Amino acid sequence: MVNITSIKTASNGLWQGDNPLNFAFPLLIVQTTLIIVVSRFLAFLLKPLRQPKGGVLLGPSAFGRNKDYLHTIFPSWSTPILESVASIGVLFYLFLLGLELDLSSTRRSGTKAFGIAIAGITLPFLCGIGVALVFRKTIDGADKAGFTQFLVFIGVALSITAFPVLARILAELKLLTTQIGETAMAAVAFNDVGAWILLALAVALAGDGAGGHNKSPLISIWVLLSGVAFVAFMMVVIRPAMKWVASRCTPEQDVVDEAYICLTLAGVMVAGFITDLIGIHSIFGAFIFGFTIPKGQFADRLISRIEDFVSGLLLPLYFASSGLKTDMAKIRGGGAWGLLALVITTACAGKILGTFVVAMLFMIPVRESLTLGVLMNTKGLVELIVLNIGKEKKVLNDESFAILVLMALFTTFITSPRS
């Protein structure tokens, strides 16, 4: 067992007898380079999946079966460092997600989008509860997590839709400005807000998960109340402040812009720290802070400044850290593969059927209703974030996590357009 406090940042170099891979920063450089090269190469080979790849292959499911490689390139002492850097990427990714989420566009679709969103989250969530009950009876150790939080986590995992992945798919299909595209985007905006609220509830209930102490139910209530107070403060105080900041930023004021952009990026970190302090998760603070910034020139400048750095460098690290936790060897025997088939079928059927039926009730043509159902089934990175939180909170064990990761990859694959 390595004491992480004894790990040094930089080596003295090979000529002085130091192996750079035994030091934190040189090893992080090697890990980052390997992850980016592998993810870009696989993104080219597996283009239909439309997201950074390589995480699962770099972990114990493939390359990690070679223990020498795993202990040299991804030793256990380096995991907190890699995950911390990757978590900064996720923090800013959720900030961008909140920044791009435009609920004002839902007014055009109104009741139709809201009804589709309710169906798109309710039926899959109920199906997820059924799947959770099966998991607890058939997967060893799944029943160690608290009953309520396990049900909520699985329900959210099956009901969430990836807003940015859906937007990219619609743009590629040239459907973003069509009626079906606007309806889909409005519905998924409502859907994601509901799913994040449910996830916040699950995190508040989970606490330390299976490995924690028995805590008072009052703690969960205080966490939720603190979360509500945080959201109210952000909407009442920070939103008007960010509106004022956005109004001050014009193309003629580059120096002022730079100061406001730096303060905004610092604000993302502060908001993340506050929600982590509350006991929810840092990503919720970043998401809410992004949502407080009005759409317009300032928001566009923020996106242009940080999007490529986050998606090109930091997010592949998050995929890799997820892959290092995913061991497909845990899915053993016909029963486990049967569970995977059940999860995929239930996730797809719940989303597609729920959306299709309600869309038909709103007099949307059959083909467009079915298209909406398939589009709402998109998972992607947002799903992996949910699953990683479940793993971190010890709500999901290794086998449950591996099955749900495969489900997320499969559902995104069948939704993405082929070129």
Side-chain angles (χ1 to χ4, degrees):
M1 184 66 119
V2 177
N3 181 5
I4 195 166
T5 58
S6 68
I7 301 298
K8 294 182 180 179
T9 303
S11 73
N12 292 315
L14 200 60
W15 296 116
Q16 297 189 52
D18 283 348
N19 180 354
L21 296 182
N22 292 331
F23 295 81
F25 189 59
L27 180 61
L28 182 62
I29 292 174
V30 171
Q31 290 172 338
T32 304
T33 305
L34 177 65
I35 289 164
I36 291 172
V37 169
V38 172
S39 68
R40 288 296 95 203
F41 178 67
L42 289 175
F44 174 75
L45 289 182
L46 306 174
K47 199 174 178 181
L49 289 179
R50 296 293 194 275
Q51 52 184 300
K53 308 300 178 304
V56 172
L57 291 183
L58 288 170
S61 299
F63 298 165
R65 289 186 175 278
N66 183 324
K67 298 304 177 186
D68 291 336
Y69 150 83
L70 195 63
H71 293 152
T72 302
I73 306 298
F74 296 103
S76 58
W77 62 261
S78 73
T79 301
I81 301 167
L82 180 63
E83 288 189 355
S84 295
V85 176
S87 294
I88 293 175
V90 174
L91 201 69
F92 280 97
Y93 177 79
L94 264 294
F95 167 70
L96 290 172
L97 183 58
L99 196 59
E100 294 170 354
L101 192 63
D102 186 6
L103 289 183
S104 65
S105 65
T106 60
R107 292 169 191 161
R108 290 189 294 271
S109 302
T111 309
K112 186 192 301 181
F114 186 72
I116 290 170
I118 291 295
I121 197 170
T122 303
L123 186 57
F125 190 85
L126 293 174
C127 291
I129 290 175
V131 168
L133 293 173
V134 174
F135 269 35
R136 289 178 73 86
K137 289 183 178 179
T138 54
I139 295 178
D140 289 339
D143 57 351
K144 289 181 181 177
F147 183 77
T148 305
Q149 53 262 43
F150 188 77
L151 264 59
V152 175
F153 261 105
I154 301 292
V156 172
L158 267 64
S159 58
I160 204 163
T161 302
F163 182 88
V165 178
L166 178 60
R168 194 160 64 247
I169 289 171
L170 289 171
E172 288 178 11
L173 295 174
K174 295 180 172 60
L175 292 174
L176 202 53
T177 56
T178 64
Q179 186 177 5
I180 189 172
E182 288 185 354
T183 303
M185 290 302 288
V188 77
F190 283 128
N191 183 290
D192 272 13
V193 169
W196 287 118
I197 291 170
L198 286 171
L199 184 60
L201 172 65
V203 172
L205 290 170
D208 290 330
H213 54 276
N214 294 323
K215 59 176 185 176
S216 167
L218 285 175
I219 294 177
S220 295
I221 295 172
W222 279 116
V223 169
L224 288 173
L225 290 176
S226 301
V228 171
F230 171 79
V231 173
F233 176 80
M234 295 296 283
M235 293 297 120
V236 174
V237 178
I238 302 300
R239 189 176 177 88
M242 294 311 298
K243 192 174 182 180
W244 178 83
V245 168
S247 69
R248 296 269 297 168
C249 295
T250 63
E252 295 80 27
Q253 295 175 299
D254 281 339
V255 176
V256 178
D257 275 7
E258 198 69 37
Y260 286 137
I261 285 173
C262 291
L263 285 172
T264 302
L265 298 182
V268 177
M269 309 292 277
V270 172
F273 174 77
I274 291 171
T275 48
D276 190 82
L277 187 68
I278 288 169
I280 304 178
H281 197 284
S282 57
I283 63 170
F284 294 103
F287 176 76
I288 296 297
F289 185 65
F291 189 66
T292 64
I293 299 173
K295 310 302 172 279
Q297 193 175 70
F298 182 61
D300 292 340
R301 293 194 72 170
L302 280 170
I303 293 169
S304 66
R305 291 288 182 93
I306 64 176
E307 187 172 35
D308 288 342
F309 180 72
V310 170
S311 62
L313 179 68
L314 298 180
L315 284 186
L317 299 185
Y318 191 76
F319 275 86
S321 67
S322 298
L324 291 169
K325 300 174 194 171
T326 308
D327 188 359
M328 297 304 174
K330 298 291 182 181
I331 308 176
R332 293 189 297 266
W337 288 103
L339 282 177
L340 175 61
L342 172 68
V343 172
I344 291 173
T345 305
T346 306
C348 294
K351 268 287 184 191
I352 296 171
L353 283 178
T355 304
F356 175 78
V357 171
V358 174
M360 288 289 292
L361 292 175
F362 281 110
M363 308 304 291
I364 297 176
V366 174
R367 185 175 178 180
E368 291 187 8
S369 296
L370 187 60
T371 303
L372 272 173
V374 173
L375 289 171
M376 291 287 285
N377 195 39
T378 309
K379 303 290 184 189
L381 176 59
V382 177
E383 172 81 356
L384 286 183
I385 293 171
V386 173
L387 298 179
N388 273 282
I389 293 173
K391 187 83 161 60
E392 178 187 318
K393 297 293 182 181
K394 300 183 177 67
V395 175
L396 302 176
N397 65 9
D398 290 343
E399 188 174 347
S400 302
F401 183 76
I403 289 172
L404 291 168
V405 166
L406 276 183
M407 179 272 291
L409 294 176
F410 182 81
T411 51
T412 302
F413 172 76
I414 63 172
T415 308
S416 300
R418 310 295 183 266
S419 59

